[in-house]
Amino acid sequence: PPRVIHTIACESRGKQELSNAFVIPKFITTTSYIASPNKINVRSLSKYEKHTAKAIKVLRKSDVFSEVLEAASILEKTTNKSIDSCKLLLSARGQVTLLSLLSSSNRSSPHLELVRVILRIFRNISKHRASLSVLVTRESLSVLTDVVQMFRDKADIFELSTSLLETFVRSDAFISSEYSSHEHRRCLRGVLSLSRTRASVRSSPELDKGIM
């Protein structure tokens, strides 16, 4: 009967609308699509990419520090094991969230551990030239410079952050010339000079030569 047909149609539209309301962005689904001129191939995400996607989601939504640290630790492992995980993190702009976390970190022990983990994630990404070019921006350089200065008495953090800063600067000719300004040279020279006495870190001659 017409009334029954109308009821079924309404229920069908309601289910469709509900389904559409919960569509998950592609970067956190379990399937990715590779387009070619003639067809679209479908491949399942690797186990590392699945863990990466879940960790990115936690970083974006959680305000619980322990969950954030755990998610960052997962990203450290997956980006070390898989270049596709590095690409996935960058395509989801996860580095923006990580930079924000670095900027808001303090000198408490839990935050120091988070800083170490995030720096190691960036080190993993920077091993791949294509990914590094996406990671290097004025914002990331500014945040790294702040980290170098804020944690200059923490030997491991200082060593890792200065190494990353050198890698970032050398990877981009424009950034390199910009960072060769008198202001930046003076700032980094002071930080390195102070840190050589406070931290048992061996300064790279190439870093002095290239930036100073």
Side-chain angles (χ1 to χ4, degrees):
R3 185 172 299 175
V4 174
I5 294 174
H6 176 72
T7 301
I8 294 174
C10 289
E11 290 178 353
S12 177
R13 283 198 301 271
K15 290 179 181 179
Q16 184 64 38
E17 290 172 358
L18 183 62
S19 175
N20 291 338
F22 288 93
V23 171
I24 301 174
K26 189 177 78 172
F27 66 85
I28 58 172
T29 61
T30 57
T31 304
S32 63
Y33 299 85
I34 307 173
S36 66
N38 299 320
K39 61 180 180 179
I40 296 178
N41 297 321
V42 179
R43 69 174 178 83
S44 296
L45 294 180
S46 69
K47 64 177 182 179
Y48 296 120
E49 290 172 288
K50 290 177 182 178
H51 288 309
T52 298
K54 291 178 181 178
I56 293 170
K57 190 174 181 180
V58 171
L59 285 182
R60 286 179 167 176
K61 293 189 174 183
S62 180
D63 293 324
V64 180
F65 183 85
S66 59
E67 293 179 355
V68 170
L69 180 57
E70 182 180 1
S73 298
I74 290 172
L75 290 176
E76 179 196 347
K77 294 174 184 176
T78 59
T79 55
N80 186 47
K81 296 287 187 180
S82 165
I83 185 174
D84 288 331
S85 290
C86 295
K87 293 177 179 178
L88 183 61
L89 188 150
L90 293 174
S91 67
R93 293 185 58 77
Q95 76 275 20
V96 176
T97 303
L98 293 173
L99 286 170
S100 178
L101 289 170
L102 269 184
S103 297
S104 60
S105 293
N106 58 45
R107 293 175 58 84
S108 65
S109 295
H111 280 240
L112 288 175
E113 181 57 27
L114 180 61
V115 169
R116 293 183 179 99
V117 171
I118 293 175
L119 291 176
R120 289 195 288 264
I121 293 171
F122 287 159
R123 180 181 60 187
N124 294 340
I125 296 173
S126 67
K127 294 176 183 178
H128 312 289
R129 182 174 295 274
S131 298
L132 176 61
S133 64
V134 178
L135 187 58
V136 177
T137 62
R138 286 189 179 90
E139 179 188 5
S140 62
L141 284 165
S142 177
V143 171
L144 266 183
T145 302
D146 290 342
V147 169
V148 169
Q149 297 186 70
M150 183 174 181
F151 304 106
R152 57 181 176 265
D153 59 329
K154 305 297 181 182
D156 55 340
I157 294 178
F158 172 77
E159 183 177 13
L160 185 50
S161 56
T162 51
S163 176
L164 277 170
L165 185 59
E166 177 186 8
T167 300
F168 282 22
V169 169
R170 291 183 180 279
S171 70
D172 188 290
F174 176 76
I175 292 291
S176 182
S177 63
E178 191 175 68
Y179 246 67
S180 295
S181 68
H182 175 71
E183 181 181 353
H184 282 115
R185 288 201 308 272
R186 181 170 57 82
C187 175
L188 292 179
R189 186 183 294 116
V191 171
L192 289 172
S193 176
L194 179 61
S195 298
R196 286 189 187 107
T197 60
R198 288 191 177 182
S200 302
V201 177
R202 180 181 173 184
S203 177
S204 169
E206 290 298 318
L207 178 60
D208 291 341
K209 181 180 177 181
I211 298 179
M212 305 303 167

